[in-house]
Amino acid sequence: MKNKDEKRISFREAFRLNLRMLRILYRNSPRSILSRVIKTGWEALSPYIGIGLSAMIVTELAGNRDPKRLLFLVLLTLGSALIVSLIGAWIHKWYSTVQEVWFFDAQQLFSKKLLSMDYQDIDDTHTHDLLAKIRESRMGNGYGAFNIYYMIPKATTAVCTLLGGIAMTATLFLSPVTDTRYAVLSHPLFTLGVIALMVFIIVAGPWFTNLGQKIIARHTQDWAHGNRMFMHFGFLGYDKKRAADVRMFRQERICVKYNNNKEGFFGSKGTLAKLHAGKLGAYKAASQAISALFTGVAYAYICLKAWAGAFGIGAVTQYAAAITRVAGGVSTLLEVISEIRTNAAFLDVPFEFLDMPNRMYQGTIPVEKRRDNEYEIAFHNVSFKYPGSEDYALKNVNFSFKVGKRLAVVGMNGSGKTTMIKLLCRLYDPTEGVITLNGIDIRKYNYDEYLSVFSVVFQDFKLFDFSLGQNVAAGNTVDEARIRDCLEKAGFGDRLSSLPNGIDTPLGHDYEDGGVELSGGEAQKVALARALCRDAHFIVLDEPTAALDPIAEAEVYARFDSIVGDKTAIYISHRLSSCRFCDEILVFDQGSVVQHGTHDDLLAAAGGKYHELWNAQAQYYV
Ligand code: ADP
């Protein structure tokens, strides 16, 4: 396993990578970034106003004690405190509103990419592996794209605190002492020495933190793996879909064994515990101890110079308050610098995901709107391998068919029927060969227009947790009469009349009260209605009756013509008896079309695949 920190990245490169991600996140949602910068910037700078004014009051009290000036300073302090709080509250209000939705905003970056990506990439396990890694880094140690959201406020705080603090403490080092016995305190070498000592202490703290982070980075993969296991086993009980199987096979025993494993990454005898008991713990302790040392040195220097008459008591309060802030600022800045480096190592995965190109050729030709409705689809020597697979799922497939016909596609499991449909709908492009619509390579058509020609009910179709009407209309605009008609045609009419809220009934009750849970067969009818509702020339039905009871299935067959109307239907089925009403039948075997003809012709061809399949089922019908 290659560890992240083995890949050395220069600081410049690390900075460039983080900046690139910042730009992407800013373009995705400017308010999420701006609100953090403005809020933290204001919080870092505004205390200096109070520190400066308090010092002036103390100076006045210790010096002239002019009541008018004191009154003025007190009023100024109160007034500025009021204004600072008002501005702060206004910024905070805006910030909180943005915070409510920042994660949603940020997540949109990945959602939009997923929605615009080629289907074959979504279907690819590598894509999901990248997404899992992004999620695991974020949940495990917080690194990756979203860590920028946490680094930005830290960097803003550091820079603003430093600028304000340096402006307020510059005179601490420059003011000469008046007591000549302590002239050494004003000597440039002494001053430089003190500054060097302070810088050393400030740097040493984050240096130890950084050493600790390097140890953590070395175990990134184990950390992510530990998290993946935890997310799986720790939450198995939450998974509704698995609940029945978990109970049936007592799978919770596996979870308990995993969750009680003390040697696991997060376990009491595991890697993380050992690291904390060893060097990691020591570095953390050292980094905290060292910050106390800084305060000691700074206070000693300020007090000595005041003692030697360099400045008065008012300045002491100002320097003491400002210098601790400067120290905090430097240490935060160093932390950010070290985080920039560590985080860069976790950015290659999100960049790989976000940079995935759309490889499918996007044509421009509009799909011809023919008055005669004459459309012909043809497969010319089409072969196809799934990405990452060595085997052909389809091999030299040739056939053509015309609009208005009913085409049945039959064959054993895994013979390539669904794959053929996926190629037809351009979810994938052929590895070899060409598919044409009216003689033109389908890749040359405008993709959205081409897709609108088809309406498909996939075997593993999914409905959404929207209302029944929105599901059938596949959108928010719901034409009630049309939806009812399609549901009737699909055989859902009786069930529809039993629903109190009709087509407004939500499907599923995970998100809304009053929802209904449909049975497999009912869901299949709704999916069929959704396909009918789409105004497409071709309707493709992949095993559309698999979940229906025999009566509902027989109804679909009996009314198939009126259901499908003048659309061209491509009908995939295991049940050969259901293919008789189709004009043509394509027989698939091991990725190839082995027969093409009418039911009667194919049945007559003794020894053919169709004959064999028919006979295998016929015995149950006799
Ligand atoms: P059918 O619809 O006839 O049951 P499919 O078209 O689903 O068959 O499958 C054809 C072949 O392609 C099978 O060997 C199957 O394992 C393989 N296959 C299907 N989907 C994928 C996929 N996403 N990745 C890799 N191989 C696949």
Side-chain angles (χ1 to χ4, degrees), residues 42 80-90:
W42 182 251
S80 66
L82 183 70
I83 293 168
V84 164
S85 311
L86 282 177
I87 297 177
W90 181 80

PDB file of all heavy atoms in Angstrom, residues 42 80-90:
ATOM      1  N   TRP A  42     -13.457  39.763  10.252  1.00  0.00           N
ATOM      2  CA  TRP A  42     -14.000  40.757  11.183  1.00  0.00           C
ATOM      3  C   TRP A  42     -13.714  40.362  12.630  1.00  0.00           C
ATOM      4  O   TRP A  42     -13.308  41.177  13.454  1.00  0.00           O
ATOM      5  CB  TRP A  42     -15.510  40.918  10.948  1.00  0.00           C
ATOM      6  CG  TRP A  42     -16.128  41.951  11.831  1.00  0.00           C
ATOM      7  CD1 TRP A  42     -16.972  41.737  12.876  1.00  0.00           C
ATOM      8  CD2 TRP A  42     -15.930  43.365  11.759  1.00  0.00           C
ATOM      9  NE1 TRP A  42     -17.319  42.921  13.469  1.00  0.00           N
ATOM     10  CE2 TRP A  42     -16.684  43.950  12.802  1.00  0.00           C
ATOM     11  CE3 TRP A  42     -15.177  44.202  10.933  1.00  0.00           C
ATOM     12  CZ2 TRP A  42     -16.719  45.318  13.028  1.00  0.00           C
ATOM     13  CZ3 TRP A  42     -15.217  45.572  11.161  1.00  0.00           C
ATOM     14  CH2 TRP A  42     -15.985  46.112  12.193  1.00  0.00           C
ATOM     15  N   SER A  80     -17.774  52.483  20.059  1.00  0.00           N
ATOM     16  CA  SER A  80     -17.147  51.585  19.075  1.00  0.00           C
ATOM     17  C   SER A  80     -17.522  50.134  19.376  1.00  0.00           C
ATOM     18  O   SER A  80     -17.748  49.339  18.452  1.00  0.00           O
ATOM     19  CB  SER A  80     -15.634  51.771  19.044  1.00  0.00           C
ATOM     20  OG  SER A  80     -15.088  51.365  20.268  1.00  0.00           O
ATOM     21  N   ALA A  81     -17.628  49.807  20.696  1.00  0.00           N
ATOM     22  CA  ALA A  81     -18.017  48.430  21.042  1.00  0.00           C
ATOM     23  C   ALA A  81     -19.406  48.128  20.487  1.00  0.00           C
ATOM     24  O   ALA A  81     -19.662  47.029  19.957  1.00  0.00           O
ATOM     25  CB  ALA A  81     -18.008  48.235  22.548  1.00  0.00           C
ATOM     26  N   LEU A  82     -20.301  49.153  20.585  1.00  0.00           N
ATOM     27  CA  LEU A  82     -21.660  48.968  20.078  1.00  0.00           C
ATOM     28  C   LEU A  82     -21.644  48.746  18.559  1.00  0.00           C
ATOM     29  O   LEU A  82     -22.268  47.803  18.040  1.00  0.00           O
ATOM     30  CB  LEU A  82     -22.497  50.209  20.427  1.00  0.00           C
ATOM     31  CG  LEU A  82     -23.959  50.137  20.033  1.00  0.00           C
ATOM     32  CD1 LEU A  82     -24.683  49.119  20.903  1.00  0.00           C
ATOM     33  CD2 LEU A  82     -24.618  51.507  20.176  1.00  0.00           C
ATOM     34  N   ILE A  83     -20.895  49.611  17.865  1.00  0.00           N
ATOM     35  CA  ILE A  83     -20.852  49.494  16.397  1.00  0.00           C
ATOM     36  C   ILE A  83     -20.225  48.154  15.975  1.00  0.00           C
ATOM     37  O   ILE A  83     -20.730  47.463  15.097  1.00  0.00           O
ATOM     38  CB  ILE A  83     -20.082  50.689  15.775  1.00  0.00           C
ATOM     39  CG1 ILE A  83     -20.910  51.956  16.020  1.00  0.00           C
ATOM     40  CG2 ILE A  83     -19.850  50.493  14.285  1.00  0.00           C
ATOM     41  CD1 ILE A  83     -20.187  53.243  15.725  1.00  0.00           C
ATOM     42  N   VAL A  84     -19.119  47.802  16.670  1.00  0.00           N
ATOM     43  CA  VAL A  84     -18.451  46.527  16.351  1.00  0.00           C
ATOM     44  C   VAL A  84     -19.433  45.360  16.542  1.00  0.00           C
ATOM     45  O   VAL A  84     -19.538  44.464  15.703  1.00  0.00           O
ATOM     46  CB  VAL A  84     -17.191  46.334  17.230  1.00  0.00           C
ATOM     47  CG1 VAL A  84     -16.719  44.890  17.218  1.00  0.00           C
ATOM     48  CG2 VAL A  84     -16.068  47.248  16.763  1.00  0.00           C
ATOM     49  N   SER A  85     -20.191  45.401  17.658  1.00  0.00           N
ATOM     50  CA  SER A  85     -21.133  44.292  17.910  1.00  0.00           C
ATOM     51  C   SER A  85     -22.224  44.260  16.862  1.00  0.00           C
ATOM     52  O   SER A  85     -22.618  43.185  16.396  1.00  0.00           O
ATOM     53  CB  SER A  85     -21.819  44.423  19.257  1.00  0.00           C
ATOM     54  OG  SER A  85     -20.910  44.665  20.223  1.00  0.00           O
ATOM     55  N   LEU A  86     -22.724  45.466  16.490  1.00  0.00           N
ATOM     56  CA  LEU A  86     -23.807  45.491  15.497  1.00  0.00           C
ATOM     57  C   LEU A  86     -23.337  44.924  14.159  1.00  0.00           C
ATOM     58  O   LEU A  86     -24.002  44.072  13.559  1.00  0.00           O
ATOM     59  CB  LEU A  86     -24.314  46.928  15.299  1.00  0.00           C
ATOM     60  CG  LEU A  86     -25.245  47.445  16.396  1.00  0.00           C
ATOM     61  CD1 LEU A  86     -25.616  48.889  16.142  1.00  0.00           C
ATOM     62  CD2 LEU A  86     -26.511  46.585  16.459  1.00  0.00           C
ATOM     63  N   ILE A  87     -22.163  45.393  13.724  1.00  0.00           N
ATOM     64  CA  ILE A  87     -21.641  44.882  12.445  1.00  0.00           C
ATOM     65  C   ILE A  87     -21.399  43.379  12.565  1.00  0.00           C
ATOM     66  O   ILE A  87     -21.748  42.590  11.690  1.00  0.00           O
ATOM     67  CB  ILE A  87     -20.335  45.615  12.042  1.00  0.00           C
ATOM     68  CG1 ILE A  87     -20.640  47.096  11.822  1.00  0.00           C
ATOM     69  CG2 ILE A  87     -19.724  44.998  10.785  1.00  0.00           C
ATOM     70  CD1 ILE A  87     -19.421  47.950  11.495  1.00  0.00           C
ATOM     71  N   GLY A  88     -20.801  42.979  13.721  1.00  0.00           N
ATOM     72  CA  GLY A  88     -20.523  41.553  13.945  1.00  0.00           C
ATOM     73  C   GLY A  88     -21.803  40.730  13.891  1.00  0.00           C
ATOM     74  O   GLY A  88     -21.850  39.667  13.284  1.00  0.00           O
ATOM     75  N   ALA A  89     -22.877  41.260  14.538  1.00  0.00           N
ATOM     76  CA  ALA A  89     -24.140  40.508  14.574  1.00  0.00           C
ATOM     77  C   ALA A  89     -24.728  40.397  13.176  1.00  0.00           C
ATOM     78  O   ALA A  89     -25.238  39.342  12.768  1.00  0.00           O
ATOM     79  CB  ALA A  89     -25.127  41.202  15.497  1.00  0.00           C
ATOM     80  N   TRP A  90     -24.614  41.469  12.403  1.00  0.00           N
ATOM     81  CA  TRP A  90     -25.157  41.459  11.041  1.00  0.00           C
ATOM     82  C   TRP A  90     -24.402  40.428  10.193  1.00  0.00           C
ATOM     83  O   TRP A  90     -24.995  39.626   9.478  1.00  0.00           O
ATOM     84  CB  TRP A  90     -25.037  42.869  10.443  1.00  0.00           C
ATOM     85  CG  TRP A  90     -25.598  42.939   9.066  1.00  0.00           C
ATOM     86  CD1 TRP A  90     -26.906  43.045   8.713  1.00  0.00           C
ATOM     87  CD2 TRP A  90     -24.844  42.853   7.848  1.00  0.00           C
ATOM     88  NE1 TRP A  90     -27.023  43.033   7.348  1.00  0.00           N
ATOM     89  CE2 TRP A  90     -25.777  42.917   6.787  1.00  0.00           C
ATOM     90  CE3 TRP A  90     -23.485  42.733   7.550  1.00  0.00           C
ATOM     91  CZ2 TRP A  90     -25.390  42.861   5.458  1.00  0.00           C
ATOM     92  CZ3 TRP A  90     -23.101  42.680   6.226  1.00  0.00           C
ATOM     93  CH2 TRP A  90     -24.044  42.743   5.194  1.00  0.00           C
TER      94      TRP A  90
END
